[in-house]
Each structure stands twice: as structure tokens, then as C-alpha cells.
Amino acid sequence: MFATIREQIETIFREDPAAKSVLEIILCYPGFHAILMHRLAHKLYKLGVPLIPRVISQISRFLTGIEIHPGAKIGRRFFIDHGMGVVIGETTEIGDDVLLYQGVTLGGTGKEKGKRHPTIGNNVVIGTGAKILGSIRIGNHVKVGAGSVVVHSVPDHSTVVGVPGRVVRSRTATVEVLEHGNLPDPEGQAIEELRARIEKLEAELRAAGVRLSDR
């Protein structure tokens, strides 16, 4: 237990430059509280203890604003930054070294039974307000941009943005820190390419003697 707490504190120091002391983390970090309470609830859930794991989950939600179903499987060095509004469903599986920002939902898409929530790989960063829905897999070393809605599986070493989420970058190297203010804009890029193509076509028509309306 103490090794788990120490590792979690070390993770927060590594991921959050605002963390100044161990005491500050213990007293002021809702993500830290939510993860530790989930570890306890998940152990009881696996042992088949009725009701109590859900009660612990709801107490954690009330205290931290983070809802994690006790059935969710979460790996090591998991960090929720700020965390308000984070929801993690029952059959979610999360790998090691995953970072979530506030407002993230790892949810289902309906009333289906069995595995109905996403599987998140290792070294994944999921931006503010992103929604990952359904029994899909998010690969290792993936970045999900803020506000994205992901409903299809994502390969390793990718960056996903948009609604619905689209893979806009794929690499063979380790993904770097997610820069929320410097994400690709596939819709804007497509519009810009169309505008440039229209201007080129208009120029060719004018060169051919075709008179175009200014409207």
C-alpha cells in the first residue's frame, strides 16, 4: 500500500510542475484521492464484496468530482490532472503511465452487455473534455486532443483530434507531451485546401477568357 502511495506521489511530481510538496499532494489533489479510493474499491469488487465498492466509488465522486466505477482496471502511474468531471466506466481498462485531464469520459455507447468501454494503452495522454466511447482500443503512445470524440480504435503512436476523432498524425517514435494549444486542425486544413483549389480554378478560367461573377 505504501509503495503504491509513494509511486503515485512521484508520478504527480513528474507530471505536474505545480506540485510543490508531498503534503500539498496529499491534501489538495483530488486525482490522488480518487485513484487511492479506487484501488481500495477495485480490490473489494474483485473479491465479490457487494455494494461497498459502489458506495466507496460514490463517496469518492462526491469528494473529488471524479467518477470511477470500481470494476475499471487501471494500471500503474495513472494521473488525473485537476479531474473535475472525469468519468470512467465499469469495463474500462487503462494501461501504465496514462495521463487524463479534466472532463474526460471513458464511456459506453448504449445498453450493450459485456465489454462496452474503451481499452487504453500505455503512455497515453487524453486532453481536456475528450470523450472515448465504446469497446474500442486506444493504442500505446497516443495523444487525444482536447474536446475530441473518439468512437473508433486508434493505432499506436498517433494523434487524434476532432468530432468525430480522426488520426491526423502517426509516428514510429514515442509521443511527446500533449500541447493543447498546438494541435492539428483537419477541418480547417481541408477548407483551406478547397479555397486554394477554387482560386486556382478561377484563375485558369479567367486565363481562358471566361468571365466570372464577383458574387
Side-chain angles (χ1 to χ4, degrees), residues 42-72:
H42 183 65
K43 286 186 179 296
L44 297 175
Y45 182 88
K46 289 199 300 181
L47 291 171
V49 176
L51 187 59
I52 293 177
R54 291 301 304 271
V55 172
I56 294 173
S57 172
Q58 291 303 300
I59 292 173
S60 176
R61 177 188 180 186
F62 176 77
L63 294 175
T64 67
I66 299 168
E67 181 175 347
I68 309 176
H69 192 284

Side-chain angles (χ1 to χ4, degrees), residues 23-43:
L23 184 61
E24 181 183 42
I25 291 172
I26 292 173
L27 295 178
C28 304
Y29 275 68
F32 175 75
H33 306 148
I35 293 167
L36 293 186
M37 294 181 75
H38 172 73
R39 302 291 189 200
L40 172 61
H42 183 65
K43 286 186 179 296

Side-chain angles (χ1 to χ4, degrees), residues 144-192:
V144 180
S148 300
V149 178
V150 184
V151 293
H152 299 291
S153 294
V154 177
D156 296 349
H157 302 285
S158 300
T159 299
V160 182
V161 299
V163 182
R166 297 179 178 85
V167 176
V168 295
R169 188 177 299 155
S170 184
R171 315 182 189 180
T172 57
T174 301
V175 172
E176 300 173 354
V177 176
L178 177 63
E179 299 179 9
H180 296 283
N182 186 27
L183 289 171
D185 181 7
E187 288 84 2
Q189 182 179 354
I191 292 171
E192 182 61 25

Side-chain angles (χ1 to χ4, degrees), residues 9-213:
I9 290 172
E10 291 171 352
T11 299
I12 293 172
F13 274 125
R14 184 178 69 249
E15 298 289 352
D16 187 0
K20 299 297 189 294
S21 69
V22 172
L23 184 61
E24 181 183 42
I25 291 172
I26 292 173
L27 295 178
C28 304
Y29 275 68
F32 175 75
H33 306 148
I35 293 167
L36 293 186
M37 294 181 75
H38 172 73
R39 302 291 189 200
L40 172 61
H42 183 65
K43 286 186 179 296
L44 297 175
Y45 182 88
K46 289 199 300 181
L47 291 171
V49 176
L51 187 59
I52 293 177
R54 291 301 304 271
V55 172
I56 294 173
S57 172
Q58 291 303 300
I59 292 173
S60 176
R61 177 188 180 186
F62 176 77
L63 294 175
T64 67
I66 299 168
E67 181 175 347
I68 309 176
H69 192 284
K73 299 176 182 178
I74 298 177
R76 297 175 60 186
R77 297 177 296 277
F78 177 59
F79 178 44
I80 303 174
D81 194 359
H82 297 290
M84 179 61 70
V86 167
V87 177
I88 300 176
E90 178 184 14
T91 60
T92 300
E93 298 178 35
I94 299 175
D96 298 333
D97 301 294
V98 172
L99 170 60
L100 265 61
Y101 288 90
Q102 64 268 27
V104 168
T105 298
L106 306 180
T109 56
K111 297 181 180 180
E112 65 274 18
K113 302 293 184 181
K115 184 75 169 75
R116 59 191 186 279
H117 298 101
T119 297
I120 310 298
N122 301 321
N123 296 286
V124 173
V125 180
I126 304 177
T128 303
K131 315 299 178 187
I132 302 178
L133 306 176
S135 181
I136 60 176
R137 182 182 184 277
I138 305 300
N140 301 322
H141 302 285
V142 166
K143 295 190 295 185
V144 180
S148 300
V149 178
V150 184
V151 293
H152 299 291
S153 294
V154 177
D156 296 349
H157 302 285
S158 300
T159 299
V160 182
V161 299
V163 182
R166 297 179 178 85
V167 176
V168 295
R169 188 177 299 155
S170 184
R171 315 182 189 180
T172 57
T174 301
V175 172
E176 300 173 354
V177 176
L178 177 63
E179 299 179 9
H180 296 283
N182 186 27
L183 289 171
D185 181 7
E187 288 84 2
Q189 182 179 354
I191 292 171
E192 182 61 25
E193 289 174 354
L194 285 173
R195 185 189 65 79
R197 186 169 183 179
I198 290 171
E199 289 179 351
K200 181 180 178 182
L201 289 172
E202 288 180 344
E204 290 176 354
L205 289 171
R206 289 191 179 96
V210 178
R211 184 175 181 180
L212 300 176
S213 172

